[in-house]
Every structure is written in structure tokens, then in C-alpha cells.
Amino acid sequence: MSTEAQTRPARPNGCTAGEGMCHVLTADAIAVSQPTSEINLLNLLIIDDERSMRESCREVAHSLGFNTHVADSPEHAYHSLDANPVDVVLLDLRLPGTGGLEVLREIKRRRPETLVIVMTGFATVQSAVQAMKLGAYDYITKPFNFDELRLVLERVTSHLKLTSENRLLREQLKSKHGFGSLVGHAPEMEKLYRIIAKAAHSTHPVLILGESGTGKELVARSIHYSGPYRDKPFIPVDCGSLVPSLIESELFGHVRGAFTGAVRAKDGLMTTAEGGTIFLDEVGELPVDLQTKLLRAIQEKEVRPVGGTRSVPINVRILAATNRDLEAAVQQGSFRRDLYFRLNVLTLRIPPLRERPQDIPLLIGNVLERVNAATQTQHAIGDDALRLMLAYNWPGNVRELENCVERACTTCSLSNIHVADLPTALRNFQAFPKPDFQSKEADAITPLDQVEKQAILHALDVLKGDKLQAARRLGIGKTTLYRKLKEYGSAV
Ligand SMILES: Nc1ncnc2c1ncn2[C@@H]1O[C@H](COP(=O)(O)OP(=O)(O)OP(=O)(O)O)[C@@H](O)[C@H]1O
Ligand SMILES: [Mg+2]
């Protein structure tokens, strides 16, 4: 979204780095002002050839909380529409050249969901009526004052808010536990659902960030399946597990004879996903040369199969995910900055499970429901097990929780799951409560054996109960560690 234009270094000719086509842009032809986190704000594109008009409209729109983009010609407007998730367009009907009505037609063709308010300088009902017939949402006659413009923009804002709330409500109704197959009602998750609902109805790339097991793929699927192209393919590609020499042909396809073994031509996954979504999982693992080719494919909207001479047009929505710190990778030079900005139009951060413990009972219930239905059983969670699961820090997030409950269902002797049925990582967590190294009293003296005990328990906590590692890192023999633990009365 907006940060793209804001943070990319400008090229000397006015084109921003990473752009496919180079448009010579006037200083304010593409201007944006809000960080990506503000994605609940509406995006407004102002198209007018008069600078003072653009500036005045921008001022009013800013005061109403819009992200604004401005364009002084139809070409810049199309470029901005392609590059930004625009919700509303303020269009001057009296544009030189093509004329506003033609631009309106083109906007509606490219982005049918975008609401267009036309500004007409002639106050001719005729052109306004024509514009409304072509799908304009509203019109305003020039000259107008700030209050008139404010009124029109406020009207469009409440219209959009209402439609997105309705859409969200419909989506949420589908699942009583969360959103689609995503379970959780923590405020961070509710916020995530709102963003997913919005992202689903845009065609811009989304970068999904989150620790392992937080549900990145599930979120990608939710974006695809709650959007208008849900009937088209959703193609996940694990960039981390593909053999580097084969990634290019997997993504872009190859022609017959392109390499040894290429006995027949094959379409790439980018082409297979036509009209739908390609999900580039673990995108941070993509080798640098492939990053360059991917960037070109996204910009040019076409791919060239390996060994081929002709490019094939593609029409695919890109979602990407990683649990790596991509910003750091960009700093280190292992990930292309321009590709990062391309993928990062919208960013979704999925919170780790330890930050939303209130969802743990719901998630456990969800797994139990599934297991019980599949195995015709009546498993339930015991209070002791639930208490421990609520206190645990879940480094493997929802995936770890799912595995934990599924395993407990197969191993527990009674239908209620108790602490004894939980994996060692959890039981050790209980045995070694978090030690407190920092005494609240500055002059307090800690006996040496206490310091030793705290150091041992701390090491086990950090190393998730791995005693061999702990002994090695503490610089003591493993038998000494076992003996000490026995003294402390901890389960060995
Ligand atoms: N909010 C959630 N509600 C229900 N199930 C979830 C949720 N989040 C994750 N899961 C489940 O947890 C498992 C892991 O999810 P997913 O594969 O989407 O995670 P991931 O972030 O892609 O993990 P990794 O980084 O390891 O690839 C899946 O079985 C998924 O169904
Ligand atoms: Mg994944």
C-alpha cells in the first residue's frame, strides 16, 4: 500500500525503484502518506490536472482520515490504481486529452469495486448523469467549498464502512469460533479477521508474518476463499522445500527440451493459478536470482518459461508468508528490497499463541470436537491439564497445541485428559517454574545453592527441558544435573 511510494528511493527520472514500467512522475503524481499498519483507513485517489485543486482536495481528505494518492493525468491515475488499494476516486471530468468519462470507464473496468465521485466544472447535469450511468457513485459540481466536499466524502465513507461491516458479519457468521476455519476471539484475532475480510476483496499482494505454527497458511487460504475469486485455484508453493535448480521451472514452467529430462513442455504454478491465488510460503528462502525473476513476473504480469523465448501473460494474486525477519534480510542484502516492497503492500502479523491465551480453551475444544467426531469418542480436558496448557508458552503455537491434544487423545487411558497425558515439554514446564533472578530488594543476598538452583532451572526453562543440552551449556556433567534435580524434587 502506501508505504511503497513513501519508502522506495526515487530513480532520477522520477520512477520509483522496482517499478516495471517507468512513468515520469511529477513530484506529487504519486504521493502517499500513511504506514501499512493503517490499513483500516480508506484510500482516496484524486485525479485532477490542476495542482491547486489536488492540494485542496487532499487537505480535506486528510482531515477526514483518508490515505491520499494524487494523479495529474489518466496515465498516472492508472499507474496509481494498479499500485495502490484505492477505495474511492475523486475524478475531474474535465481532464485534457481522453476526457473524464473515458477515464471513469477505464477505472470501472480495472477496479469495478472502486467508488468514483466525479467533479464537473460545467455544472452540466448532462455529464453528471452520464457519469452516474457509467457507474459513478456520486458527483460534485465545481466550484465547491470544503464543506460540500467534506459532506460527499463523509457519505462515501459511511457507505463503505457499512458494506465492509456487512461483508465481515456475513463472513463471521460462517464460523462461531472465529473466522472461517480460523479459531479465536482474542482482540488481536478479531482485528486480523477484519483485515483478512478487507484483503480478500482487494487484488494486492499480502505479506503474512508470524512464528511457525501460528496459522500463516490458514490465513492465506482464508484470504483466498473469502474473496471473489474463491472458485479459482489456490496454489501453495513452499519456496523453502523446492530444489533450487527446479524452482524456476516449477514457478514459471519450461519448454520441451529446456534441460535434460524436460521431455515435454510444462506449465508453471504461476500459470496454473490463473485467475486465482499463488501462495509463496517461506518466501524468505527464495534464492536471490529467483527473487529477481519473481519481481519481474509480478511487475510485468508475465512469465517466461525456462528455455522459452516468449513470455506468457499471467493473471494471479500473490500472497506470501515467512517466519523470517524479512526486513533484517533486506538490510543484510539476502532479500531484494524492491521485491520486499512489492510483496509487502499489505502486511498481516499473526500473534503468537502465548499472546492470546484466552483462545487456548477454544482451540482445545476445536481439536477435541474434530478428534471425537472422527473416532467416535468423548474426550474432554481435565482442569489440571487445562491449567497447565494455559500457563505454557507454546513455542510451536497452534500446531504444537493441536499435536499435543491429538496425542493426548490417543494415549490417555480415561476419556478426560490429565497432566500425565501431556507431552514432556509441558510437564517439564510445570516442574520448572520460571526462576526469578532479579530480587526486588537491592541489598538481598542469595545463598549460593539457591543461585545454582535458579541457574539450572533457568537453563532447563530456556532449553525447553532438554537436560543434555542444559548440562552442556551449564558446564556440568549430566549425572550431576540429574542428581541436583533429584535434590530439588523435580521429576527427572
Ligand atoms: N487460528 C487457528 N485456528 C485453528 N487452527 C489453526 C489456527 N492457526 C493455526 N491452526 C492450525 O495449526 C496448524 C498450523 O497452521 P499453518 O500451517 O497455517 O501454520 P504456519 O504459520 O504456516 O506454520 P509454519 O510456519 O510452520 O509453516 C494447522 O493445522 C492449522 O490448521
Ligand atoms: Mg506454513
Side-chain angles (χ1 to χ4, degrees):
M1 198 170 67
S2 43
T3 34
E4 226 185 348
Q6 196 184 32
T7 39
R8 276 197 215 145
R11 284 189 186 157
N13 63 358
C15 176
T16 44
E19 300 292 346
M21 296 166 293
C22 259
H23 300 268
V24 180
L25 306 176
T26 53
D28 65 349
I30 292 191
V32 193
S33 30
Q34 301 289 335
T36 37
S37 58
E38 303 273 17
I39 53 172
N40 52 340
L41 291 186
L42 294 175
N43 284 272
L44 174 76
L45 170 63
I46 303 159
I47 312 172
D48 201 307
D49 57 325
E50 252 182 81
R51 189 191 182 104
S52 59
M53 196 64 196
R54 292 195 298 270
E55 287 306 318
S56 316
C57 292
R58 184 142 82 153
E59 221 170 277
V60 176
H62 261 178
S63 72
L64 291 173
F66 278 91
N67 272 338
T68 54
H69 311 257
V70 292
D72 57 1
S73 68
E75 294 70 43
H76 294 156
Y78 303 148
H79 178 73
S80 189
L81 268 179
D82 287 344
N84 303 294
V86 174
D87 304 289
V88 185
V89 172
L90 200 51
L91 166 69
D92 179 19
L93 273 191
R94 209 179 38 163
L95 279 180
T98 341
L101 285 177
E102 200 38 56
V103 178
L104 169 63
R105 237 184 235 116
E106 182 59 23
I107 294 173
K108 282 293 175 190
R109 193 187 65 75
R110 286 176 190 235
R111 302 281 295 268
E113 74 284 5
T114 302
L115 299 184
V116 184
I117 300 164
V118 294
M119 303 183 279
T120 161
F122 299 112
T124 50
V125 184
Q126 190 69 30
S127 57
V129 168
Q130 236 180 319
M132 300 297 273
K133 272 190 188 157
L134 287 174
Y137 169 76
D138 208 344
Y139 71 93
I140 183 164
T141 49
K142 280 183 177 178
F144 50 80
N145 60 33
F146 280 9
D147 284 341
E148 287 174 273
L149 179 60
R150 197 181 293 271
L151 253 161
V152 175
L153 290 178
E154 275 171 358
R155 205 157 45 225
V156 78
T157 306
S158 27
H159 173 86
L160 280 170
K161 222 174 138 224
L162 207 71
T163 35
S164 92
E165 273 169 12
N166 284 347
R167 194 190 295 146
L168 182 66
L169 267 176
R170 274 201 304 278
E171 293 297 346
Q172 283 186 331
L173 275 178
K174 285 185 200 159
S175 157
K176 62 182 188 307
H177 295 315
F179 181 92
S181 43
L182 285 160
V183 173
H185 278 312
E188 301 89 327
M189 293 303 284
E190 298 285 355
K191 193 168 153 201
L192 187 73
Y193 304 152
R194 276 195 292 278
I195 303 173
I196 292 175
K198 188 166 166 148
H201 288 82
S202 110
T203 49
H204 289 275
V206 180
L207 182 62
I208 305 164
L209 304 176
E211 292 178 11
S212 182
T214 44
K216 294 185 290 297
E217 178 155 354
L218 212 52
V219 165
R221 286 180 188 277
S222 302
I223 295 176
H224 174 80
Y225 287 107
S226 43
Y229 305 109
R230 63 177 74 89
D231 298 332
K232 303 284 180 186
F234 173 87
I235 310 272
V237 185
D238 186 348
C239 303
S241 70
L242 284 177
V243 183
S245 57
L246 290 181
I247 304 180
E248 186 176 357
S249 118
E250 279 293 323
L251 281 178
F252 307 136
H254 61 248
V255 298
R256 186 168 160 226
F259 46 83
T260 325
V263 285
R264 61 179 74 88
K266 184 171 167 261
D267 277 346
L269 294 172
M270 287 261 195
T271 319
T272 315
E274 180 64 20
T277 303
I278 189 144
F279 172 49
L280 302 170
D281 203 0
E282 301 306 343
V283 72
E285 308 306 316
L286 215 55
V288 175
D289 59 326
L290 255 298
Q291 292 175 21
T292 311
K293 289 177 177 152
L294 175 64
L295 177 68
R296 200 177 314 130
I298 299 174
Q299 286 178 168
E300 313 287 343
K301 295 190 170 59
E302 57 181 32
V303 294
R304 181 174 301 183
V306 177
T309 49
R310 260 184 297 155
S311 297
V312 183
I314 51 163
N315 167 29
V316 58
R317 204 256 171 105
I318 311 260
L319 302 178
T322 180
N323 53 22
R324 274 182 57 184
D325 183 349
L326 266 198
E327 245 171 64
V330 168
Q331 298 296 338
Q332 289 155 11
S334 58
F335 200 83
R336 284 188 67 128
R337 181 180 298 272
D338 39 15
L339 178 60
Y340 174 63
F341 284 129
R342 271 283 159 186
L343 298 175
N344 194 20
V345 175
L346 268 185
T347 309
L348 289 188
R349 264 172 223 283
I350 312 179
L353 190 51
R354 64 181 170 281
E355 285 177 15
R356 49 182 189 109
Q358 65 268 54
D359 285 342
I360 290 174
L362 212 53
L363 284 159
I364 297 173
N366 187 53
V367 184
L368 286 176
E369 212 173 278
R370 180 156 37 83
V371 173
N372 285 341
T375 57
Q376 305 285 308
T377 45
Q378 292 290 321
H379 292 295
I381 193 91
D383 284 350
D384 56 335
L386 179 60
R387 217 171 304 122
L388 178 54
M389 290 174 86
L390 281 169
Y392 184 57
N393 60 354
W394 300 107
N397 294 294
V398 185
R399 181 181 289 112
E400 185 183 6
L401 181 138
E402 278 188 344
N403 292 343
C404 163
V405 178
E406 281 168 9
R407 228 195 66 168
C409 286
T410 58
T411 54
C412 71
S413 44
L414 304 163
S415 64
N416 264 12
I417 296 170
H418 293 289
V419 167
D421 305 312
L422 301 178
T424 339
L426 274 102
R427 282 184 283 125
N428 278 341
F429 190 80
Q430 179 194 42
F432 311 127
K434 215 169 183 61
D436 176 19
F437 269 115
Q438 241 107 59
S439 171
K440 285 170 196 69
E441 292 166 47
D443 55 357
I445 307 289
T446 317
L448 272 183
D449 60 344
Q450 277 298 315
V451 174
E452 183 185 77
K453 181 174 174 182
Q454 286 184 353
I456 289 175
L457 295 184
H458 179 65
L460 283 164
D461 183 37
V462 170
L463 299 168
K464 311 212 168 23
D466 185 336
K467 298 189 187 75
L468 288 182
Q469 273 268 5
R472 201 170 54 76
R473 299 273 296 274
L474 287 162
I476 57 175
K478 78 173 189 270
T479 32
T480 312
L481 178 70
Y482 276 72
R483 182 168 47 76
K484 298 269 175 204
L485 288 176
K486 219 167 180 181
E487 280 170 29
Y488 307 150
S490 302
V492 180

